[in-house]
Amino acid sequence: MDKLNPQQQEAVETVNGPLLILAGAGSGKTKVLTHRIAYLLEIKACEYENILAVTFTNKAANEMKKRVGILLGNKSFNSYTSPIFWLGTFHAICLKILKKHSMEAGLDPNFLIYDTDEQLDVVKSILKKMDLSDKKLSPKGILSNISNAKNELLTPKEYEKYAQGFLQEIVSKVYFEYQKKLSENNALDFDDLIMKTVELFEENPKILESFQNLFKYILIDEYQDTNHAQYRFANLLAEKHHNICVVGDDAQSIYSFRGANIQNILNFERDYPEAKVIKLEQNYRSTKKILAASNEIISLNRNQKPKKMWTENNDGAKLVLYEAINEKDEAMWIGKKIQELSDRGVSLNDIVVLYRTNAQSRSLEEGFLRLGINYQVIGGVRFYSRKEIKDVLAYLKIIYNQNDNVSLLRVINTPRRNIGPKKIALAQELALKAGLPLLLFLLKQKEDSVIDKAFVGFAKIVNELINQSSELPVSKLIEKILKLTGYLDLLNDGTTENESRIENIKELISVATKYEVMDPKTALETFLNEVALIEEQSNRNDTALDKVTLMTIHAAKGLEFDYVFIAGLEEGMFPHSRSYLDPKELEEERRLAYVALTRAKLQLYLSYAETRVYYGGSNSNPVSRFVTDIPEDLLEIESTLGMPSGWQNADDFFKAEEKELFLNKNKSLGINKGDIVKHPVFGIGQIIEMDDSTIVINFSVGKKELSLEYAQLEKL
């Protein structure tokens, strides 16, 4: 094979026996996989049906089929015409197996596959039957727990043995009923596809043997992302001939929240003592300086397969590190840098801004809109278009304008109050007859009214909010909405999705704090008007072809860009504060940092904020350990404090009164050395040193030096 380096060629031609290919970032992993399949077909004369190649996405599978076709001289290969039948995702492969052996698996051949919405409907119906409120028990949270159980190959009976505490006991009961419902409806969910296939193999040795004989060569892509069920599936098929080739990079294992188990790749040589290991360490993507910084960061993880990535690419520029005053300053700096790149002829499509949490996109989006920079949010929607944000804004709109029926109808049953379409239609009809807007009609109703009591309860909540709106700042009004409606409680189910939504709501509260200097009577109107203008502006750039990409680091895995910005590099933000108490989670955060840096081809820009408004308060956190791990000679530091060349005074970016508020609102009151205090990120700690400007506190996560002005401490 041509155009392969020696390690790549060895990986392609080592086809017998177990093989672990440790493919570092930008090392040509897909190239190796496609060449290996082509080598098996063309050189080893292997039949198409004797190759099992498993990927994680349909996109990756289709791309591999296309590239194999090109290597074999058939450019017309695609997902439909390719003869490589057994190349696809775990779910697609298992579906084919179950369709072929549905009877032996105890399934009707015409079984259906339920999507997420259908699964949720089943869970909701079960909760209702069990007389359990889906307001207090999140159907999504319960479904997530059931999914985790299936990924661990735990049946309802097995899960019941391990269930501890109220929630798990509820999940256990729902899990039994959930499987019963699926069976009654002749349906499977996506997790069942793998679990049922593993059960089929374990309970039918002859069927297992037939597939072991069929798949002479097994290839598993992204092995570091496999869960227990996927691991079991692959190893059952490989246990006869051991011709299994797994490809992955433990340094890019970042999906534990989805059930991925890094030990699968770390323990491959334990599972197959005769395994050969080939390291692909030559990087074709990044500059020497970017790789040097990335290597330094990941080298500090203990639980890993050591690699030393290198490149023949040029040295490249130093990584630029910006010390921002706050998140607004950070967003404007990033925007200015992007404008500079654009002026040099760089396409916006070649630029990405990465962040740890979805909520961080808000300040970036607003900064880009102010500067007229077109952007797109990948893996999510724009901040003010996110469901939870639109819900909270709808409550604020009906508080401000009781004639707003559109906003009213959006939240009248959010959270769910047993107010369905029929009840709403009746209430609207009665309101029309009374000649009143719907909300005003509801506000006039009593407990003994002809309309449903749920309407009266909703109206009471809204009325209380209206009465308090003239006295409460917008940020406190939002908090009141969340409390009275139970909206935040609804999201507190422990799922990753809802954690992200809570963070978004906290970010909205943070936005609202800047209006605290205004009279509450005018602040709400101003806030809603400014949000509307931002939404309108953001809609305008939808048609632009040239856009900066905004995304979380998790969403960026597998992608590459010429110019990469990584924002929010502070302790508590990245690494995330919830990782502090678990060494395994901290190591995953470090792997996440490695993934972020290795997306860059030509230039890396890093930034952190000395203070960041979060959940209504200004938090002061030190720069991320992932930045301090980078050797100083690889960094070029810019700082507002030093007013670097070309940087404008911070007063250009936020009003003088805002700046004064920002600087003065968070001064600590009445604390002394030895006092016990509480920090919003680091928790409870004891003051061990302090002077006029700084304070050192011993927290459970270690000693932290904070700015006294911005520390947001609560004396206990």
Side-chain angles (χ1 to χ4, degrees):
M1 295 278 179
D2 60 350
K3 299 181 181 178
L4 295 172
N5 68 37
Q7 290 75 32
Q8 289 175 331
Q9 182 130 1
E10 185 183 10
V12 166
E13 296 179 357
T14 305
V15 295
N16 293 316
L19 173 65
L20 170 60
I21 303 174
L22 289 172
S27 64
K29 169 178 71 73
T30 304
K31 183 179 180 180
V32 168
L33 279 170
T34 52
H35 275 73
R36 183 179 171 90
I37 293 172
Y39 179 83
L40 285 167
L41 293 169
E42 195 169 55
I43 307 301
K44 292 296 185 179
C46 183
E47 298 295 331
Y48 286 104
E49 65 266 22
N50 295 142
I51 300 172
L52 171 65
V54 188
T55 66
F56 267 81
T57 65
N58 289 318
K59 183 181 177 182
N62 294 335
E63 178 65 18
M64 284 175 65
K65 287 177 180 178
K66 186 179 176 181
R67 289 171 69 165
V68 170
I70 292 170
L71 289 172
L72 296 177
N74 190 338
K75 295 182 180 180
S76 64
F77 267 27
N78 58 49
S79 58
Y80 301 105
T81 63
S82 174
I84 312 174
F85 185 75
W86 296 103
L87 194 166
T89 64
F90 277 100
H91 294 110
I93 298 295
C94 288
L95 176 59
K96 289 174 181 177
I97 293 171
L98 289 176
K99 283 292 184 181
K100 188 175 181 179
H101 293 281
S102 55
M103 188 174 70
E104 293 91 339
L107 301 169
D108 186 297
N110 298 318
F111 66 82
L112 302 169
I113 302 168
Y114 275 3
D115 61 22
T116 303
D117 288 340
E118 290 166 327
Q119 294 168 42
L120 280 171
D121 286 341
V122 173
V123 171
K124 288 174 183 176
S125 70
I126 293 167
L127 290 174
K128 189 175 182 179
K129 185 180 176 183
M130 295 170 66
D131 202 26
L132 293 169
S133 171
D134 60 6
K135 296 177 187 178
K136 296 179 180 179
L137 291 165
S138 163
K140 284 186 178 179
I142 289 173
L143 193 59
S144 176
N145 276 273
I146 292 173
S147 177
N148 292 338
K150 291 185 178 184
N151 289 338
E152 292 296 322
L153 298 175
L154 295 174
T155 64
K157 281 187 179 180
E158 289 166 332
Y159 184 87
E160 187 180 35
K161 294 176 185 175
Y162 299 103
Q164 291 182 340
F166 174 75
L167 178 60
Q168 288 189 358
E169 287 174 4
I170 293 295
V171 171
S172 177
K173 292 175 182 176
V174 174
Y175 189 7
F176 273 103
E177 293 300 316
Y178 176 78
Q179 289 304 109
K180 194 185 294 182
K181 282 280 187 184
L182 291 185
S183 180
E184 288 171 2
N185 294 323
N186 191 30
L188 302 180
D189 62 22
F190 281 99
D191 297 314
D192 280 330
L193 292 175
I194 303 174
M195 187 172 180
K196 291 287 185 184
T197 305
V198 171
E199 288 176 357
L200 173 70
F201 287 164
E202 290 179 335
E203 294 170 7
N204 298 272
K206 288 185 178 179
I207 293 175
L208 172 60
E209 187 178 13
S210 70
F211 281 103
Q212 289 173 338
N213 291 331
L214 178 66
F215 301 139
K216 293 180 180 178
Y217 300 98
I218 299 170
L219 295 84
I220 310 290
D221 192 17
E222 303 287 7
Y223 197 61
Q224 78 281 348
D225 294 333
T226 53
N227 59 37
H228 179 66
Q230 293 160 341
Y231 164 86
R232 183 69 181 140
F233 168 79
N235 284 278
L236 278 169
L237 289 172
E239 67 182 9
K240 185 173 183 179
H241 300 296
H242 283 204
N243 285 339
I244 180 171
C245 169
V246 301
V247 185
D249 183 8
D250 57 287
Q252 297 185 71
S253 179
I254 59 174
Y255 295 126
S256 65
F257 64 94
R258 294 182 188 169
N261 186 354
I262 192 175
Q263 295 303 321
N264 292 348
I265 192 168
L266 295 178
N267 293 337
F268 186 81
E269 293 160 272
R270 182 203 66 184
D271 295 336
Y272 301 96
E274 76 276 31
K276 186 172 186 176
V277 180
I278 298 174
K279 296 181 181 182
L280 305 183
E281 296 174 301
Q282 183 174 358
N283 176 287
Y284 294 91
R285 176 185 299 160
S286 307
T287 65
K288 285 186 173 69
K289 283 188 172 63
I290 291 171
L291 272 190
S294 305
N295 284 334
E296 285 292 332
I297 288 173
I298 199 62
S299 68
L300 295 174
N301 266 3
R302 294 182 179 180
N303 200 27
Q304 65 170 311
K305 298 262 187 196
K307 295 181 295 297
K308 193 73 173 178
M309 300 301 295
W310 62 277
T311 185
E312 291 180 347
N313 295 340
N314 60 38
D315 284 349
K318 288 184 177 182
L319 286 66
V320 180
L321 172 65
Y322 181 65
E323 303 169 314
I325 294 175
N326 59 13
E327 72 276 10
K328 187 181 289 189
D329 181 18
E330 178 185 50
M332 296 302 290
W333 178 81
I334 291 172
K336 290 286 184 180
K337 286 294 179 186
I338 289 171
Q339 287 181 327
E340 289 173 15
L341 291 171
S342 182
D343 291 343
R344 283 166 33 195
V346 174
S347 169
L348 296 183
N349 293 329
D350 295 327
I351 303 171
V352 69
V353 185
L354 303 177
Y355 36 82
R356 175 64 180 83
T357 64
N358 270 307
Q360 291 170 258
S361 80
R362 193 275 312 168
S363 57
L364 295 164
E365 289 183 60
E366 291 189 11
F368 290 2
L369 289 170
R370 288 182 67 185
L371 294 171
I373 298 171
N374 294 323
Y375 68 91
Q376 60 180 341
V377 179
I378 301 296
V381 295
R382 291 189 177 94
F383 182 81
Y384 289 105
S385 297
R386 293 168 190 169
K387 180 185 181 304
E388 60 278 8
I389 301 301
K390 289 181 78 70
D391 287 345
V392 174
L393 289 174
Y395 274 108
L396 290 173
K397 287 175 182 178
I398 61 176
I399 292 167
Y400 173 69
N401 175 13
Q402 288 89 59
N403 294 332
D404 183 359
N405 273 358
V406 173
S407 296
L408 176 69
L409 292 174
R410 179 181 181 93
V411 296
I412 197 166
N413 198 39
T414 304
R416 291 174 68 181
R417 303 182 176 91
N418 196 29
I419 302 176
K422 289 182 179 178
K423 292 179 181 179
I424 292 172
L426 174 62
Q428 286 178 308
E429 186 182 333
L430 292 170
L432 187 64
K433 287 180 180 176
L436 293 170
L438 180 57
L439 180 59
L440 294 179
F441 172 75
L442 296 178
L443 289 170
K444 289 179 177 292
Q445 304 308 303
K446 307 289 184 183
E447 290 287 346
D448 57 353
S449 169
V450 293
I451 67 167
D452 195 283
K453 288 183 180 180
F455 285 113
V456 179
F458 170 74
K460 280 184 177 178
I461 292 172
V462 175
N463 192 48
E464 184 174 346
L465 291 167
I466 292 170
N467 291 336
Q468 295 190 34
S469 63
S470 60
E471 301 174 0
L472 289 176
V474 180
S475 59
K476 298 300 180 186
L477 185 59
I478 295 173
E479 290 177 2
K480 198 76 171 177
I481 290 168
L482 298 172
K483 183 179 179 181
L484 290 180
T485 63
Y487 196 99
L488 206 58
D489 293 336
L490 182 70
L491 299 178
N492 267 320
D493 60 8
T495 62
T496 305
E497 180 186 2
N498 279 346
E499 280 180 7
S500 180
R501 287 179 172 170
I502 290 171
E503 286 177 339
N504 288 334
I505 292 172
K506 289 179 178 179
E507 182 64 18
L508 184 68
I509 293 172
S510 298
V511 176
T513 58
K514 77 174 186 178
Y515 299 88
E516 289 180 1
V517 294
M518 301 174 65
D519 186 321
K521 293 177 182 177
T522 57
L524 179 57
E525 179 183 10
T526 307
F527 174 72
L528 290 173
N529 287 342
E530 291 193 10
V531 167
L533 289 170
I534 292 169
E535 286 186 279
E536 195 272 336
Q537 262 186 295
S538 66
N539 290 332
R540 280 187 203 171
N541 81 47
D542 279 346
T543 57
L545 297 175
D546 200 22
K547 299 177 184 179
V548 176
T549 298
L550 303 181
M551 58 172 52
T552 64
I553 303 167
H554 281 101
K557 186 169 174 289
L559 304 177
E560 60 182 32
F561 295 85
D562 287 349
Y563 301 89
V564 173
F565 292 81
I566 307 173
L569 281 161
E570 308 119 44
E571 289 290 312
M573 184 67 70
F574 190 25
H576 200 286
S577 57
R578 63 173 170 256
S579 69
Y580 286 160
L581 300 178
D582 189 340
K584 289 181 180 178
E585 287 192 22
L586 265 176
E587 290 216 338
E588 181 149 326
E589 291 287 299
R590 186 171 293 280
R591 295 194 293 270
L592 194 59
Y594 175 80
V595 167
L597 267 69
T598 54
R599 298 312 93 195
K601 295 167 72 175
L602 302 178
Q603 180 71 69
L604 258 173
Y605 299 88
L606 315 175
S607 59
Y608 74 99
E610 289 192 332
T611 62
R612 186 176 297 273
V613 178
Y614 188 65
Y615 209 0
S618 288
N619 297 309
S620 176
N621 297 318
V623 63
S624 169
R625 66 194 73 190
F626 305 143
V627 174
T628 58
D629 291 339
I630 300 171
E632 288 186 19
D633 62 344
L634 296 176
L635 292 171
E636 176 185 321
I637 299 175
E638 295 187 13
S639 173
T640 303
L641 303 176
M643 289 298 169
S645 176
W647 186 248
Q648 301 175 42
N649 190 287
D651 283 333
D652 292 339
F653 301 126
F654 52 100
K655 299 172 185 175
E657 64 266 26
E658 288 182 65
K659 187 178 179 183
E660 187 177 349
L661 174 69
F662 173 78
L663 291 174
N664 295 319
K665 72 176 284 189
N666 298 301
K667 286 188 177 180
S668 298
L669 300 173
I671 55 174
N672 299 289
K673 184 177 177 180
D675 285 347
I676 305 298
V677 293
K678 185 178 181 181
H679 187 271
V681 173
F682 302 116
I684 297 171
Q686 185 174 25
I687 301 172
I688 54 177
E689 291 180 35
M690 63 184 298
D691 56 31
D692 291 339
S693 60
T694 60
I695 186 167
V696 180
I697 304 172
N698 190 18
F699 296 103
S700 60
V701 297
K703 292 180 185 177
K704 300 292 179 184
E705 184 176 336
L706 308 175
S707 165
L708 188 57
E709 240 175 357
Y710 309 122
Q712 281 287 291
L713 299 173
E714 177 188 346
K715 186 177 178 181
L716 299 180

